[in-house]
């Protein structure tokens, strides 16, 4: 069998095709295991499972370069897995990735976030996964800001922003897409339309059912794709990533998909019919892709079965690792919450000295108003670090509504003192994303 197989539908190496199939199986078995652990109360708190939507995460992430970035959602295990697995260069690295993911969901110290993030806030910033969020639509501004930083630093990186159909009705969606289009940012907005915002069907939540049609309001491309077809996702997202990387700005890709489980473990799914669920499950992206590989002569049934069996062993090993790992020690309760984590007597003494100077003045101090203090502090930091920039309404030529940025636009220019639309949530969220 040739290592390179090209048909009308599949154009990738055998190794690559089987790796994508493996990643989808890994997400499925991981999520099925998490579902069982939630039922046994061995994983605490809410968890929103990605089973059924695997083709979106794996297909989209598969077209990224190693240095590209993603932001995720409360239903983020699939995104985290796809990004981590795509960068793992050995079997040992892959297993370490599964171990860290499962340990994080189980609240263990060996997890990606030392057990502090859990299901809805898992992140792996070193690998370009800027994290999941429990706030619906909260990651869209973060992705927009991350893309702004890549543009300003001229890194050539692209950001993928995953979110659900429910998030497309939030103000963050409009504000972010408008800003992304306005500044021509290298970001691809990917809507995972699984038809329900928790229990509310999309036909009761959206005046126009194809979310991608909203792209025309921002002057960017919008495309609806079959989210159950990994190759269709790869093709659509690949075009959008190429567009973003060459400097042509964002795109909006709507992947129409379906979640196997309810919104969360406690959801009885009363709002869906058995017939609807059966129809979508008949389009299961994993066996569908496996069958296409066999039909195209890329893989044999035996090879497909071997991958599935291997995945089961990997996820079991990850689960065993998680439950054999320690819980975070109580002594580290404040670690990564306060800075600095440990205060010394010298720190306290310095703090008292500074407070005294602020109250009474003294050597090296002078009395100025609050506006002047803001101006000088921002200017000082912008001179010290060329990566520091400002963005807000009216802060450019106008100098700010209260003159807090007066003179900064003239000194640093519009690239570093940026006027924005009136988009409060996205200004704040984008600042977080750019800082990451």
């Amino acid at each position: 069998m040739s290592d390179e197989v090209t048909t009308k539908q599949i154009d990738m190496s055998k190794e690559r095709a089987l790796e994508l199939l493996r990643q989808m199986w890994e997400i499925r078995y991981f999520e099925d295991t998490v579902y069982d652990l939630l039922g046994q109360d061995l994983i605490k708190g809410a968890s929103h499972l990605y089973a059924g939507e695997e083709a979106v995460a794996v297909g989209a992430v598969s077209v990224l370069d190693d240095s590209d970035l993603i932001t995720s959602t409360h239903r983020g295990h699939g995104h985290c897995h796809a990004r981590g697995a795509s960068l793992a260069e050995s079997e040992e690295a892959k297993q370490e990735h599964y171990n860290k993911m499962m340990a994080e969901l189980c609240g263990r110290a060996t997890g990606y976030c030392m057990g502090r993030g859990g299901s809805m806030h898992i992140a792996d910033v070193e690998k370009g996964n800027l994290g999941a969020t429990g706030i619906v639509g909260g990651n869209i501004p973060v992705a927009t800001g991350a893309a702004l930083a890549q543009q300003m630093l001229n890194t050539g990186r692209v950001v993928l922003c995953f979110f659900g159909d429910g998030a497309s009705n939030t103000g963050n969606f409009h504000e972010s897409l408008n800003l992304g289009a306005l500044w021509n940012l290298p970001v691809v907005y990917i809507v995972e339309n699984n038809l329900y915002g928790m229990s509310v069907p999309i036909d009761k939540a959206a005046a126009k059912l194809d979310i991608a049609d909203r792209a025309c309001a921002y002057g960017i491309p919008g495309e609806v794709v079959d989210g159950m077809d990994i190759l269709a996702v790869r093709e659509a997202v690949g075009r959008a990533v190429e567009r973003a990387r060459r400097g042509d700005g964002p795109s909006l890709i709507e992947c129409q998909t379906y979640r196997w489980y309810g919104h969360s473990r406690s959801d009885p799914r009363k709002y869906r019919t058995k017939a609807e669920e059966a129809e979508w499950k008949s389009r299961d992206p994993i066996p569908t892709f496996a069958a296409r590989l066999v039909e195209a002569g890329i893989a044999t049934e035996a090879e497909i079965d071997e991958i599935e069996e291997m995945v089961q062993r990997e996820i079991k090993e990850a689960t065993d690792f998680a439950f054999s790992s320690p819980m975070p020690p109580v002594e580290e309760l404040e670690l990564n919450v306060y800075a600095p984590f440990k205060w010394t007597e010298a720190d306290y003494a310095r703090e008292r000295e500074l407070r005294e100077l602020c109250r009474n003045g003294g050597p090296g101090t002078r009395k100025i108003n609050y506006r002047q203090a803001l101006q000088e502090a921002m200017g000082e930091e912008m001179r010290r670090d060329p990566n520091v920039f400002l963005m807000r309404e009216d802060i450019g030529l106008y100098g700010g509504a209260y003159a807090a940025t007066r003179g900064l636009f003239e000194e640093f220019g519009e690239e570093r003192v940026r006027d924005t639309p009136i988009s409060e949530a996205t200004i704040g969220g984008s600042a977080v994303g750019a800082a990451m």
Side-chain angles (χ1 to χ4, degrees), residues 64-387:
L64 294 180
D65 287 351
D66 287 356
S67 62
D68 290 332
L69 309 171
I70 70 166
T71 69
S72 184
T73 72
H74 60 280
R75 197 178 308 282
H77 308 161
H79 312 134
C80 182
H81 175 72
R83 191 55 182 147
S86 72
L87 296 173
E89 296 182 351
S90 66
E91 288 301 320
E92 292 76 15
K94 289 179 189 292
Q95 189 64 55
E96 181 184 15
H97 168 57
Y98 318 139
N99 292 354
K100 285 186 169 184
M101 276 194 67
M102 188 63 81
E104 185 59 37
L105 266 68
C106 294
R108 304 303 168 121
T110 52
Y112 268 121
C113 305
M114 297 183 290
R116 290 159 168 77
S119 172
M120 287 194 285
H121 299 95
I122 193 168
D124 184 11
V125 177
E126 289 183 2
K127 294 190 178 75
N129 175 5
L130 302 186
T133 174
I135 306 300
V136 174
N139 67 312
I140 312 178
V142 173
T144 303
L148 172 59
Q150 306 319 306
Q151 183 190 71
M152 293 181 72
L153 294 171
N154 196 30
T155 65
R157 293 173 177 171
V158 173
V159 182
L160 290 191
C161 176
F162 294 97
F163 54 96
D165 50 285
S168 70
N169 292 320
T170 67
N172 279 348
F173 172 86
H174 163 72
E175 291 183 3
S176 297
L177 268 70
N178 181 59
L179 195 67
L182 182 66
W183 289 347
N184 218 37
L185 300 181
V187 56
V188 180
Y189 299 104
I190 301 177
V191 188
E192 296 178 312
N193 181 1
N194 60 27
L195 307 184
Y196 297 92
M198 192 164 177
S199 69
V200 178
I202 191 168
D203 61 4
K204 291 186 178 179
K208 197 162 190 346
L209 298 187
D210 284 346
I211 297 165
D213 287 347
R214 303 181 195 179
C216 66
Y218 315 104
I220 63 175
E223 182 176 353
V224 178
V225 65
D226 180 2
M228 310 300 276
D229 182 346
I230 187 173
L231 299 179
V233 174
R234 267 176 59 86
E235 183 179 348
V237 177
R239 285 194 300 270
V241 166
E242 287 178 12
R243 180 177 187 275
R245 206 180 303 281
R246 66 174 178 259
D248 292 338
S251 303
L252 176 61
I253 308 295
E254 176 185 350
C255 298
Q256 295 184 343
T257 185
Y258 202 77
R259 52 175 160 82
W260 270 202
Y261 295 108
H263 174 70
S264 60
R265 182 64 169 80
S266 60
D267 178 6
R269 311 195 306 278
K270 289 183 178 179
Y271 49 89
R272 305 195 318 198
T273 66
K274 298 292 185 184
E276 177 186 286
E277 292 185 345
E279 192 279 326
W280 278 94
K281 287 190 175 184
S282 71
R283 298 169 53 196
D284 190 327
I286 302 175
T288 298
F289 185 54
R292 291 170 75 175
L293 297 182
V294 173
E295 183 181 352
I298 295 175
T300 65
E301 292 280 5
E303 289 172 317
I304 300 295
D305 292 343
E306 184 180 341
I307 289 173
E308 185 177 359
E309 291 166 5
M310 176 180 64
V311 166
Q312 292 180 54
R313 293 192 298 270
E314 292 168 348
I315 303 306
K316 183 182 185 305
E317 183 175 334
T319 307
D320 292 343
F321 171 85
F323 285 106
S324 65
S325 296
M327 301 294 283
V330 70
E331 294 79 17
E332 295 183 357
L333 181 64
E334 297 175 355
L335 182 63
N336 298 323
V337 176
Y338 298 103
F341 175 44
K342 296 291 187 184
W343 286 74
T344 65
E345 282 303 319
D347 294 324
Y348 287 118
R350 178 59 176 158
E351 181 71 11
R352 286 192 293 269
E353 179 185 344
L354 289 173
R355 288 176 181 270
E356 193 66 22
L357 280 172
C358 289
R359 289 191 192 98
N360 304 317
T365 67
R366 58 195 170 93
K367 189 172 288 188
I368 57 176
N369 63 37
Y370 200 73
R371 182 183 66 241
Q372 289 174 288
L374 289 171
Q375 288 172 345
E376 292 187 17
M378 289 186 286
E380 180 180 298
E381 191 64 12
M382 292 175 78
R383 292 180 204 102
R384 184 191 68 81
D385 185 350
N387 290 328

